[in-house]
Amino acid sequence: MNCRFASQIRITIFAKNENEMALNFVEELRWRGMLHDIMPGTEELLNKEATAGYIGFDPTAASLHIGSLIPIIILMHFQKAGHKPIALVGGATGMIGDPSGKSAERNLLDETTLAKNIAGVQSQLKRFLDFDSGAENAAELVNNYDWMKEFSLIDFVRDIGKHLTVNYMMAKESVKKRVRGEATEGMSFTEFTYQLFQGYDFLHLYETKNCKLQMGGSDQWGNITTGTELVRRKAQGKAYAMTCPLITKADGSKFGKSEGGNIWLDKGRTSVYKFYQYWLNSSDEDAEGFVKKFTFLDKETIDRLVEEHRESPHTRLLQKTIAKEVTVLVHSEEAYENAVKASSILFGKSTAEDLKSLDEQTFLEVFSGVPQAQIKPEQIEEGLDVVSAFSETGFLKSNGEVRRALKENSISVNKEKVNEGFSITASNLIAQKYVLLQRGKKSYFLLKVIA
């Protein structure tokens, strides 16, 4: 076989595989319920060739939250299908604030805060996408501040602004809602220009990286199509758009929120335990949607899990599966196992060593709402008698009640049964400052060492 003929075969095989992978991307999103709007011709483009596509991430905080997981997972599916994902961090647009879905203008961020946020978001995105393999479809990370920082207002208005009419920009739903009085306040010129900035991002990536597709949430359709229109008018090119549905919960509450606020991807802001618990506490109705959107399990596996769950909903099979898959994806297998261990501490069998293995944040979240009393370091150094620990701190009413409970074998320190004569010392401290007292199975009390 001559080299030329062999080369032709390799090209044909690559094209076939590439086409098969591309076909899978749209179908993958469709059956998972992750496809909302798609511009005509987009699916045909992806079936025909490996394509560069991007999603923008707004650096409003130093960490992304679980609302950002859907666009991240879409980029992961995109790369898995053989396409090239580009993750854009909005260093420039983050200074303006996206009006889409907002009823009031956001506070503008100063440069120091914005720089910190951008660094945090960038480091998180690198955990999910392949940036470093050297493959043709290796992901790229870009910051629109890099190409906007030298752009003067005069140049931007002259070279970009003239290509889109005010009528076109006013027709966008995100603008109309703010202008016609459905919001509590109007729209500033700053926010009005946001779609033009985002549109220019698409044009810049189209011209410099041959990026033909922008993806995002359904509330971004107006901004994304502004970009496709700018590519058409300014570059005489063809660009494409695709959006996914915004995630909502069946009970009407906001997805990604808990009583303490956002569920963050940074374990320093949201502990792995709390992150795991969020998914574990999903309703049955939400879980059937979440398992498709937030895991990479195949259709056959998910269909089987849903069927088994419906037959025995009390086992919470779907919730346990989602909690495991997402916790491992965002954190690690070890972090997941620690979260499971922390979850079992309240109701399952656990030891003092299990408690001591928890970090302070997780420990306090496991025992959130448990009453506390403060003790001095010298009390621990001298050895705190168990009777005094339970009575003088106010947990139990009297020494006599403590002694009766001890005889009933219902008194525990750090989840382990103790007898009269036991003393609490520094060796019993959890996170170097806490001791967990317990009577029976469900009555808890915390001692906290305060200098």
Side-chain angles (χ1 to χ4, degrees), residues 188-259:
S188 70
F189 176 75
T190 301
E191 281 193 309
F192 181 64
T193 61
Y194 185 94
Q195 64 170 291
L196 199 55
F197 277 82
Q198 185 169 327
Y200 179 69
D201 287 343
F202 201 171
L203 174 65
H204 177 84
L205 293 176
Y206 176 86
E207 292 180 329
T208 60
K209 298 186 181 295
N210 195 32
C211 179
K212 297 181 181 179
L213 174 66
Q214 183 181 170
M215 298 168 282
S218 57
D219 61 336
Q220 291 294 310
W221 184 253
N223 291 336
I224 294 173
T225 52
T226 293
T228 63
E229 185 67 7
L230 196 54
V231 168
R232 184 184 71 83
R233 296 189 183 192
K234 179 76 165 60
Q236 291 76 52
K238 179 65 177 173
Y240 300 85
M242 180 188 297
T243 63
C244 62
L246 299 180
I247 306 299
T248 56
K249 294 177 71 173
D251 63 3
S253 61
K254 189 170 182 180
F255 171 76
K257 293 278 189 178
S258 69
E259 292 180 2

Side-chain angles (χ1 to χ4, degrees), residues 10-22:
R10 284 197 297 272
I11 292 170
T12 301
I13 292 172
F14 175 76
K16 180 181 178 182
N17 291 338
E18 177 185 272
N19 187 48
E20 288 173 352
M21 288 189 294

Side-chain angles (χ1 to χ4, degrees), residues 164-198:
L164 293 175
T165 66
V166 171
N167 295 30
Y168 177 85
M169 296 173 70
M170 289 286 290
K172 300 297 182 181
E173 194 62 28
S174 60
V175 175
K176 287 195 294 186
K177 283 184 178 180
R178 294 284 289 273
V179 172
R180 66 187 176 212
E182 292 182 12
T184 56
E185 59 185 69
M187 173 181 277
S188 70
F189 176 75
T190 301
E191 281 193 309
F192 181 64
T193 61
Y194 185 94
Q195 64 170 291
L196 199 55
F197 277 82
Q198 185 169 327

Side-chain angles (χ1 to χ4, degrees), residues 7 10 46 103 136 164 174 191 242 299 321 354 370 389 409:
S7 176
R10 284 197 297 272
L46 297 176
S103 59
E136 289 186 10
L164 293 175
S174 60
E191 281 193 309
M242 180 188 297
K299 189 175 188 302
T321 300
D354 292 330
V370 171
N409 196 32

Side-chain angles (χ1 to χ4, degrees), residues 340-390:
V340 172
K341 183 169 63 177
S343 298
S344 70
I345 282 174
L346 267 178
F347 306 107
K349 293 182 179 180
S350 56
T351 66
E353 292 307 311
D354 292 330
L355 287 171
K356 290 178 181 178
S357 69
L358 302 179
D359 60 85
E360 182 177 3
Q361 182 185 15
T362 302
F363 174 76
L364 291 177
E365 286 178 354
V366 170
F367 295 98
S368 175
V370 171
Q372 296 185 17
Q374 297 179 357
I375 57 176
K376 295 179 180 179
E378 52 264 32
Q379 290 178 273
I380 290 291
E381 292 169 4
E382 296 168 359
L384 180 60
D385 175 68
V386 67
V387 175
S388 300
F390 275 73

Side-chain angles (χ1 to χ4, degrees), residues 424-442:
I424 298 171
T425 66
S427 65
N428 301 114
L429 293 179
I430 299 165
Q432 300 182 330
K433 66 176 74 171
Y434 299 99
V435 179
L436 178 68
L437 307 183
Q438 182 180 354
R439 181 182 185 180
K441 291 183 177 180
K442 298 181 179 179

